[in-house]
Amino acid sequence: MATRGAGGLGPAGIQAAGTAPALLLEPPRHIREMEFELLAGPERIESGWWDGDEAQRDYFVARSGDASVVWIYRETNGWFMHGIFA
């Protein structure tokens, strides 16, 4: 797991803070497994249980093929990128 020291915005610091990335993609983009390297996670996020639109996802911080730090999750039909850290 990579970090950039105290107060830095390395993947471990982002994961520990429980913050979402600066840019959320809507809808999330389908990606190939070989396009990224997992750096931190999973972090379980659950929502929608109160209105019947329930979602449970395990999010990971990953480095993409172009060295961006991204927020991804996996479903039965593959991996999806949901955000990009600034």
Side-chain angles (χ1 to χ4, degrees):
M1 193 179 310
T3 62
R4 292 186 187 170
L9 292 177
I14 292 167
Q15 180 75 15
T19 59
L23 174 65
L24 288 177
L25 304 176
E26 197 58 48
R29 191 180 97 198
H30 189 262
I31 57 176
R32 293 187 321 246
E33 288 189 42
M34 64 187 92
E35 290 182 348
F36 60 86
E37 169 192 3
L38 295 180
L39 300 174
E43 176 185 3
R44 167 77 38 111
I45 296 181
E46 299 182 41
S47 68
W49 48 267
W50 58 88
D51 63 4
D53 192 21
E54 188 170 353
Q56 294 180 357
R57 295 180 179 151
D58 291 329
Y59 282 88
F60 295 84
V61 176
R63 185 177 330 276
S64 68
D66 67 0
S68 298
V69 179
V70 296
W71 206 37
I72 62 174
Y73 66 92
R74 184 177 185 129
E75 291 191 344
T76 56
N77 58 339
W79 287 92
F80 292 83
M81 179 177 13
H82 198 172
I84 301 170
F85 291 96

